[in-house]
Amino acid sequence: MLLGGIADDLTGAVELAGMLAAGGMRVALVLDDAPVPPGQDAVVVAMPSRVAPVEEARAGFARAAEALLGAGAERLFFKYCATFDSTPEGNIGPCADLLMDRTGAGFTIFAPTFPEAERRVFMGHLFVGAQLVSNSPKRFDPLTPMTEPDLVKVLTPQTQRRVGLIPLHVIARGAEEVGRHVAALRADGVACAIADAGTEEDLATLARASWDWKLTTGGSNLAAHFPAIWREKGLLSAAAPEPAPRAAGHGAVLAGSCSDRTREQVEHFAARHPALRIDLARMDSPEAALRQAVAWALPLLEGGPICVTTAGDPEAVSAAQARFGRDGAARAAEGLLGALASALVDAGVRRVLVAGGESSGAVIRALGITRLSVAPYVSPGIGVCAAEAPVPLALCLKSGKLGPVDMFGTVLERMRA
């Protein structure tokens, strides 16, 4: 196994697996503590750790690392969001520390740049489009607000190791210069470095500098450059790509992300198809809200795809958090969407699009799915995959912040057999 990947949410795991598959690798995606399957070039473990308590996140990463290394993974890759989603306590730094300890890695980089989605790092500062992340809508994230754009400052309190920077002018000189810069950082006691990058060429340089490291961390499109390098080194032969999954049956959207982009996508879909918004702050109880949502949805399924969302604007999110607490509001939404997914699948839904990383994980766990086949990556936010159990399903698990505005309807139609 050339690579063992660990992603801190399910949509990130799907994206990473899809990019490796697009590079011609045989890839399996498993959830949490599911067994690591043999005979793969790469295995990606989806670990719902982004907003978990630090020790819970570290324990999950320890189990995943042990399983991957025990199955023969030659190196590990830690995938997190391109907006470096974390809290002051973690969990990027604590989980990276654990992986460095487990692999014996003396140095690693942190490279969240995702040019296709306009996430870039310059002089250690994270930009979303032309804005610093601290000026973007990401500052209003209900769980992981990003109010500090300097990623060196974000990472430093999260890790036991000294944090440095690999600036863009070093990367522009090529992989060998990156290697020399890393050697100088290590000689100065630095073990972790934020890596600048603005383009795919910058990421390709970073990948060429780190292709044989025991541990690398970053966005999925850093890892996407590894297969070509491994093939060049004679370590990898091309695999036939998986066909895009399709399924005969009803279609449904379950949207839990409160990002601006997901709310725009819900609004676009709702102008053309039935859509129901559940106001967490005003519902009588999760059980009552589930009964009402099922009663609303079932008569409509024969007429085409439907959408149920728990997403709201910042004021609605604040009201829900005031009622349930920050984590309690998120768990209420995830539990509701997971239970609703089970009811809809029982009613014949076979094409499901879930918006939001934590929401996707909750839905997949509620359905009892432990392994996914991932289609090769196509574009940001569109992570299409298939599950065979408990029933054959075609799924799209999308990051809340990504994807075109019209993707709900078009992706559900694309997945229809």
Side-chain angles (χ1 to χ4, degrees), residues 244-253 350-354 382-386 393-397 407-417:
R246 295 175 180 269
H250 304 312
V253 175
R350 296 294 181 266
R351 294 170 290 133
V352 183
L353 187 152
V354 190
I382 303 180
V384 178
C385 48
L393 295 172
L395 300 145
C396 178
L397 308 174
M407 72 168 285
F408 288 1
T410 57
V411 171
L412 283 174
E413 180 61 26
R414 195 180 305 160
M415 295 192 301
R416 185 163 65 92

Side-chain angles (χ1 to χ4, degrees), residues 29-417:
L29 189 156
V30 297
L31 276 78
D32 298 4
D33 298 324
V36 173
Q40 307 294 319
D41 298 318
V43 175
V44 178
V45 179
M47 188 60 58
S49 60
R50 183 171 298 170
V51 296
V54 171
E55 288 310 312
E56 179 182 320
R58 282 173 56 87
F61 267 64
R63 294 192 301 271
E66 181 179 356
L68 291 167
L69 295 171
E74 296 180 7
R75 56 191 63 79
L76 298 184
F77 186 88
F78 174 16
K79 193 276 177 197
Y80 38 76
C81 185
T83 45
F84 214 69
D85 288 17
S86 56
T87 66
E89 296 77 30
N91 286 322
I92 292 176
C95 292
D97 277 346
L98 182 138
L99 295 179
M100 292 185 76
D101 291 339
R102 293 300 172 96
T103 60
F107 185 92
T108 196
I109 56 171
F110 294 77
T113 290
F114 195 167
E116 205 173 350
E118 296 193 318
R119 275 66 166 162
R120 298 178 173 89
V121 180
F122 179 65
M123 295 308 293
H125 287 65
L126 178 60
F127 287 81
V128 176
Q131 296 178 310
L132 287 166
V133 67
S134 53
N135 294 331
S136 77
K138 179 64 186 169
R139 70 189 187 275
F140 299 123
D141 190 298
L143 295 179
T144 54
M146 291 295 290
T147 57
E148 172 56 69
D150 186 340
L151 298 188
V152 174
K153 289 183 178 179
V154 172
L155 184 61
T156 294
Q158 295 186 24
T159 176
Q160 303 169 4
R161 292 166 166 85
R162 189 175 169 195
V163 182
L165 174 69
I166 303 177
L168 192 61
H169 69 266
V170 170
I171 296 164
R173 297 190 186 119
E176 291 186 2
E177 184 65 22
V178 172
R180 285 189 285 270
H181 187 79
V182 167
L185 288 174
R186 296 187 67 174
D188 198 32
V190 173
C192 304
I194 301 295
D196 280 357
T199 66
E200 288 295 335
E201 290 74 16
D202 297 333
L203 292 171
T205 297
L206 289 169
R208 191 161 290 279
S210 62
W211 68 271
D212 59 347
W213 291 5
K214 294 179 180 179
L215 172 69
T216 315
T217 89
S220 53
N221 57 332
L222 170 62
H225 291 280
F226 287 143
I229 299 170
W230 292 331
R231 194 166 292 113
E232 174 190 309
K233 304 290 184 183
L235 302 175
L236 178 67
S237 57
E242 292 281 340
R246 295 175 180 269
H250 304 312
V253 175
L254 301 173
S257 169
C258 294
S259 70
D260 287 354
R261 176 41 55 104
T262 291
R263 289 189 286 116
E264 292 168 354
Q265 290 162 334
V266 168
E267 184 177 349
H268 185 278
F269 184 88
R272 296 156 180 81
H273 304 279
L276 172 69
R277 178 176 176 265
I278 299 172
D279 189 334
L280 296 177
R282 294 173 180 266
M283 67 181 181
D284 293 332
S285 68
E287 296 77 16
L290 174 62
R291 289 194 298 271
Q292 293 165 4
V294 171
W296 172 85
L298 295 189
L300 298 171
L301 292 175
E302 290 291 345
I306 56 111
C307 172
V308 178
T309 179
T310 57
D313 58 24
E315 291 75 19
V317 170
S318 296
Q321 290 181 338
R323 178 177 177 183
F324 294 103
R326 189 199 73 167
D327 294 339
R331 300 294 87 80
E334 292 160 14
L336 182 55
L337 292 178
L340 180 57
S342 294
L344 293 177
V345 168
D346 288 344
V349 168
R350 296 294 181 266
R351 294 170 290 133
V352 183
L353 187 152
V354 190
E358 280 73 32
S359 300
S360 293
V363 165
I364 294 301
R365 287 190 296 275
L367 293 175
I369 297 169
T370 60
R371 181 174 174 179
L372 294 166
S373 299
V374 180
Y377 173 84
V378 176
S379 62
I382 303 180
V384 178
C385 48
E388 295 302 321
V391 295
L393 295 172
L395 300 145
C396 178
L397 308 174
K398 83 162 217 82
S399 166
K401 299 177 286 293
L402 298 177
V405 171
D406 64 349
M407 72 168 285
F408 288 1
T410 57
V411 171
L412 283 174
E413 180 61 26
R414 195 180 305 160
M415 295 192 301
R416 185 163 65 92

